[in-house]
Amino acid sequence: RTVARRHLVPQEEYPRAACLDGTPPAIYVRRSASRKWLLFLEGWGFCFSLEDCLNRAATSHGSTDGEPHHLDLRSHGPYFSTDSIENPLLHDFNWVFVRYCDGGYFAGDVAEPVVVNTS
């Protein structure tokens, strides 16, 4: 089984954890019987300008709006295979897939929204 369940970061507890459009970040978790964990940070790159961040905020790399409740992680690489021959090191791990949506390498820390061209 390679399907993981979505969890949104609770904005009441972590108000500064947000995607570019202000939606809460999402993580997907697939549990197994193992005590071992793989933490996978989705890559995408940083915004190189405010306009770039504004444009990205309307995509899946800047928003979790419409994010599915379940995600088949198998499509994200061989490290999400449960086949012990194809994936001998990680096949039985618990998997955590952290969606990238902040445009700043998971290091964004803006207290108030930034206005770009009145948007």
Side-chain angles (χ1 to χ4, degrees), residues 16-47:
R16 292 175 82 165
C19 297
L20 290 171
D21 71 342
T23 56
I27 63 170
Y28 287 88
V29 179
R30 178 255 189 189
R31 298 293 306 253
S32 73
S34 176
R35 294 179 51 142
K36 301 174 282 185
W37 290 83
L38 166 66
L39 177 63
F40 183 89
L41 303 177
E42 181 183 34
W44 193 253
F46 64 93
C47 296

Side-chain angles (χ1 to χ4, degrees), residues 42-76:
E42 181 183 34
W44 193 253
F46 64 93
C47 296
F48 57 86
S49 69
L50 291 176
E51 288 77 18
D52 182 39
C53 283
L54 178 63
N55 292 333
R56 188 180 297 192
T59 72
S60 64
H61 293 291
S63 176
T64 56
D65 190 36
E67 193 76 14
H69 291 280
H70 294 89
L71 183 66
D72 187 350
L73 295 176
R74 185 66 184 99
S75 64
H76 290 274

